[in-house]
Amino acid sequence: VVQLFVEMPVYYRSFIRGSYLVTQFSWCCLLLSALLFAASSAYAEEHHHEQPEEMINRVVDGLHADAAGALFTSYFDRFAPDAVFLGTDRTERWSIEEFKAYAKPIFDSGQGWRYEVVERNLSGEEGIYWFDEVLYNQKYGYCRGTGVVKQDDEGDWKIAHYSLTFLVPNGVANELGELVLSVDAAPK
């Protein structure tokens, strides 16, 4: 075969060499494309099969981490545009825009709020889940967060409703009730 190649006219030899290089280059491109496709498919497959509970826990855990780090944009990106936030005060029923107005100066000062998750319960069905969680805060002690999380049109999970309450041990409920009534009188 080598003898035949050497005896060929020059233009045939360069054509064969060129075809060989094109063929090798084509195989390299094909192999690289296959590897990239396999890698992207594996990534998509991994996240496609991720359970909703795992994704929702990541959203809510991220919410608490963003609050502790005073990360305003990331924190509020976790909420649906029509979300409602219920704070611990009777007057704190906020649209997400009202809640942003409350939180912006706090986050801008570099402060946030830190609640450590003690436990979380999660239930739901396709596209909508609800949860309750026991949280611990160094200033307030044990609290409870409850919320509703829904999947948006892009498949991302967003918090549609969140409520934060103080947990009151039954042994001090009467005392605490009297204190609250002394500050926030019952309706007349």
Side-chain angles (χ1 to χ4, degrees), residues 7 11 13 25 37 79-80 99 123 137 163:
E7 292 176 0
Y11 57 90
R13 283 190 300 211
F25 180 73
F37 177 75
F79 286 94
F99 186 37
S123 301
N137 175 277
S163 177

Side-chain angles (χ1 to χ4, degrees), residues 4 23 37 74 128 130 132 141:
L4 181 62
T23 303
F37 177 75
S74 181
I128 189 160
W130 48 95
D132 62 86

Side-chain angles (χ1 to χ4, degrees), residues 108-166:
D108 283 350
S109 74
Q111 296 187 350
W113 42 85
R114 181 177 305 278
Y115 291 89
E116 296 174 33
V117 177
V118 176
E119 67 180 64
R120 181 178 298 136
N121 300 294
L122 187 61
S123 301
E125 52 194 48
E126 188 175 331
I128 189 160
Y129 276 72
W130 48 95
F131 65 91
D132 62 86
E133 56 187 3
V134 175
L135 307 167
Y136 184 79
N137 175 277
Q138 292 208 347
K139 184 177 177 182
Y140 302 122
Y142 289 100
C143 301
R144 184 179 318 279
T146 58
V148 175
V149 184
K150 66 181 182 178
Q151 203 167 24
D152 66 13
D153 293 337
E154 287 79 42
D156 295 324
W157 290 95
K158 299 289 184 176
I159 298 168
H161 183 94
Y162 192 89
S163 177
L164 180 65
T165 57
F166 295 135

Side-chain angles (χ1 to χ4, degrees), residues 90 181 184-188:
R90 179 176 56 87
L181 286 172
D184 193 8
K188 296 180 184 196

Side-chain angles (χ1 to χ4, degrees), residues 3 6 20-21 23 26 31 36 62 72 77 97 107 116 126 141 150 158 170:
Q3 179 69 27
V6 172
Y20 175 76
L21 291 175
T23 303
S26 297
L31 180 62
L36 289 173
F72 183 86
D77 281 350
E97 295 305 317
F107 279 38
E116 296 174 33
E126 188 175 331
K150 66 181 182 178
K158 299 289 184 176
N170 290 335

Side-chain angles (χ1 to χ4, degrees), residues 15-26:
F15 175 76
I16 291 171
R17 258 192 227 123
S19 296
Y20 175 76
L21 291 175
V22 168
T23 303
Q24 292 302 313
F25 180 73
S26 297

